[in-house]
Amino acid sequence: LGRAFPDESVSHLLKGTNPSIGVYARADGVQLRLAAKAATAEAGVAIAREHLARGEQVWIVTASPQHLASILAQKLGLTGALGTVAEINDGTFTGELAGPILHGAEKAVAIQKLAAEQGIDLALSTAYSDSVHDQPMLSTVGHAVVVNGDRRLRTLAAEPALGAELRSFFLGARWALWGALAEFMVRNQLDTMI
């Protein structure tokens, strides 16, 4: 999760499965993989819960399939999720996409649309990422946080135009949380929620 897949692999990931049955089994598999990286995952979940405790919305924004991201968000008690939408016909995934892969600039477009719908002030919002491909989204919010960022994103984070905060949760293997658990959390300040 959390990385852009070639169009063909995303479109066939869930083909022929029933959204209300097959996706839950796959989401449980994601949960098991996350358990193997428990210390890193716990740090990210703790941050998400801090945002929630302050009355802020917390959204997963990922290139991964929307159905999987929504299940993960629900299991974690987050506000919701935005992801790549798979086409469904007669209750079954068709193997086609219902729109673009939510990657790169598409994430910035998605959070701008979400902000407009939810009354979120993006200037008061935070986005978390580990990938340079998310620079458009990070540039859309008032507080960008690079978590275990790739080399190019860490370089961009130091530039005044992005001015991102750097965080590291390394415990050995390169990251699992922010790509698999919550690639981006977009939060809204409590005083701007209506």
Side-chain angles (χ1 to χ4, degrees), residues 5 10 18 51 74 97 100 104 132 150 161:
F5 299 104
V10 171
N18 180 310
H51 286 292
Q74 181 181 20
L97 297 179
V132 71
D150 61 34

Side-chain angles (χ1 to χ4, degrees), residues 45 47-58 76-79:
V45 170
I47 290 169
R49 289 195 175 129
E50 288 173 15
H51 286 292
L52 292 168
R54 291 191 298 262
E56 300 164 351
Q57 297 184 31
V58 179
L76 293 172
L78 305 181
T79 309

Side-chain angles (χ1 to χ4, degrees), residues 120-189:
I120 297 170
D121 184 347
L122 289 176
L124 299 175
S125 297
T126 300
Y128 295 81
S129 178
D130 71 336
S131 171
V132 71
H133 299 291
D134 297 326
Q135 184 272 333
M137 189 194 69
L138 292 172
S139 296
T140 304
V141 299
H143 186 221
V145 182
V146 173
V147 180
N148 297 346
D150 61 34
R151 185 178 321 136
R152 294 185 299 166
L153 185 57
R154 288 192 314 266
T155 300
L156 280 174
E159 294 179 10
L162 186 56
E165 176 185 344
L166 292 170
R167 292 190 190 179
S168 181
F169 298 139
F170 283 110
L171 295 173
R174 185 180 188 277
W175 163 167
L177 173 66
W178 298 109
L181 175 60
E183 183 172 347
F184 304 104
M185 296 188 305
V186 179
R187 71 165 175 89
N188 181 25
Q189 296 290 335

Side-chain angles (χ1 to χ4, degrees), residues 16-119:
T17 61
N18 180 310
S20 64
I21 299 170
V23 176
Y24 285 96
R26 290 181 185 176
D28 286 340
V30 169
Q31 199 171 27
L32 291 174
R33 285 193 295 279
L34 289 174
K37 310 241 185 223
T40 302
E42 286 175 20
V45 170
I47 290 169
R49 289 195 175 129
E50 288 173 15
H51 286 292
L52 292 168
R54 291 191 298 262
E56 300 164 351
Q57 297 184 31
V58 179
W59 291 80
I60 295 173
V61 182
T62 180
S64 299
Q66 171 70 37
H67 280 79
L68 295 177
S70 293
I71 292 166
L72 190 56
Q74 181 181 20
K75 287 183 178 234
L76 293 172
L78 305 181
T79 309
L82 301 174
T84 300
V85 180
E87 183 180 81
I88 299 173
N89 188 1
D90 293 328
T92 302
F93 290 109
T94 66
E96 301 297 323
L97 297 179
I101 294 174
L102 199 61
H103 182 256
E106 292 294 333
K107 288 184 179 178
V109 171
I111 67 165
Q112 289 168 337
K113 182 179 176 186
L114 175 70
E117 291 170 355
Q118 298 285 318

